[in-house]
Amino acid sequence: MEIPVPPPVRWICDVLRGSGYQAFVVGGGVRDALLGRPVHDWDVATDAPPDAVQRLFPRTVPTGIEFGTVTVIIDSQAVQVTTFRSEGGYRDARHPGWVTFGQRIEDDLKRRDLTVNALAYDPASGRFVDPYGGQADLANRIIRTVGHPVERFQEDALRLMRAVRLAAELGFRLDGRTAAGIRCCAPRLERVSRERVGEEWRRLLAAPDAGRGLMLLYRTRLLPWVLPGAPKLERVAVRRTVAALERLAASGAATKMAAVLYGLSSPEADAALLRSLVYSRQASRQVSHLAQCLRDFRRDAVHSDAALRRFLARVGREHVPPFLELWRAWQPLESHRLGRELDRWAERVLAAGAALSPGELAVDGTDIQQAGGVPPGPQVGALLTRLWEHVLEHPEDNTRDRLLTLIKAWATEQRCSG
Ligand code: ATP
Ligand code: MG
């Protein structure tokens, strides 16, 4: 099979060859191209040493020169060109103690993590170098380590996450020995920086098959190391969360993470969990708000239109769509007296012109000053709030005429009482 290598990448390989070096396309680009998935970056492996690469191309950036990586820029496309490399003497369950540059592509492929990532392709001849059966594993949709799983996970514990994340992204299954190796090495995830764990977790969650990804984390016993301190990691809770994630396949990152918090965490544990996964402050706020709304909705007795309007006001206009998605994802799993009706109910209530914040009133502070003769100051805000309270009970009154009438009446009332 031939791979559609883009012209700039091909040209880089040609230039290297023209100077007597070997050049292959390697890694995720080859994998994704063979799967017919979009390729987001192409990597080139060569026996040319980094300084030769820098001399051969007019625009280069020494992005990882001590590890042999030079970024070559052609037509504003950045291609990483890395010298064949062997690694060893792993320190701290993560980083190699030594790196040497090599002469053979086979040695370079040997240090790579998974068979599907350890494939090289020569665009000039259309030949693959595939010593670990990467093409067969791609065809059979299997994630398998290059070499002995336990050894490879002991060298670098990030590979534990990469294996499961890639299985979720590609919809592959884990080879049995690889899965057993992950189970055995799971506690080593403790040695990986939380930034990297969080990054892998977010990529896993972004996959359409995130539910399966979560199931794999559970089965491989990685889950307690990925979500430290989550209070509900037992089988039933995980299965329910997996089912919810399956319904949220097309949803945004915040909605999916909120489903995970709702399913596996608790109000007390949310903040620490989000921190341990290095979520940004803004993302944390949104995610925990959504999860908390779902918990509150279950606890609160929302059974009138007015109560629903008040509840949706607390959710906040921009969070209403993800909140309803979350609700839909969880609702079939739990008996609740509202049944499937919340969607339609919320739609009706919103269509009737409910104002979910004072900003959604048909009048504003200027109207209060002008129509009510109220001087600028706290009185304006107080009247606005009072109008909003009124509209929460009587959404049909959210028209300019009706509210101006109320402003006049209430402003007079205030002046008389004040
Ligand atoms: P993607 O870019 O879609 O995440 P990728 O496979 O290109 O996938 P990168 O992180 O860009 O992933 O790494 C490029 C290649 O380097 C991988 O395909 C793999 O061969 C190798 N690699 C990356 N991380 C490791 C690791 N921790 N251990 C061994 N090899 C690795
Ligand atoms: Mg890549």
Side-chain angles (χ1 to χ4, degrees), residues 28 40-41 43:
H40 53 85
D41 49 38
D43 295 314

Short mmCIF file of all heavy atoms in Angstrom, two decimals, residues 28 40-41 43, ligand 2:
data_model
loop_
_atom_site.label_atom_id
_atom_site.label_comp_id
_atom_site.label_asym_id
_atom_site.label_seq_id
_atom_site.Cartn_x
_atom_site.Cartn_y
_atom_site.Cartn_z
N GLY A 28 3.33 8.31 14.13
CA GLY A 28 1.88 8.51 14.04
C GLY A 28 1.38 8.85 12.64
O GLY A 28 0.25 8.49 12.28
N HIS A 40 -1.94 14.72 11.44
CA HIS A 40 -1.70 16.10 11.88
C HIS A 40 -0.23 16.45 11.94
O HIS A 40 0.12 17.61 11.89
CB HIS A 40 -2.44 16.45 13.16
CG HIS A 40 -2.18 15.49 14.27
ND1 HIS A 40 -1.11 15.61 15.09
CD2 HIS A 40 -2.87 14.38 14.66
CE1 HIS A 40 -1.15 14.63 15.96
NE2 HIS A 40 -2.17 13.86 15.73
N ASP A 41 0.66 15.45 12.07
CA ASP A 41 2.05 15.81 11.83
C ASP A 41 2.86 14.64 11.28
O ASP A 41 2.62 13.48 11.63
CB ASP A 41 2.73 16.43 13.07
CG ASP A 41 2.50 15.64 14.35
OD1 ASP A 41 2.50 14.38 14.29
OD2 ASP A 41 2.33 16.25 15.39
N ASP A 43 6.52 12.90 10.73
CA ASP A 43 7.86 12.84 11.30
C ASP A 43 8.77 12.09 10.34
O ASP A 43 8.37 11.08 9.76
CB ASP A 43 7.85 12.13 12.66
CG ASP A 43 7.05 12.90 13.70
OD1 ASP A 43 7.25 14.13 13.79
OD2 ASP A 43 6.23 12.30 14.39
MG MG B 2 2.83 12.92 16.41
#
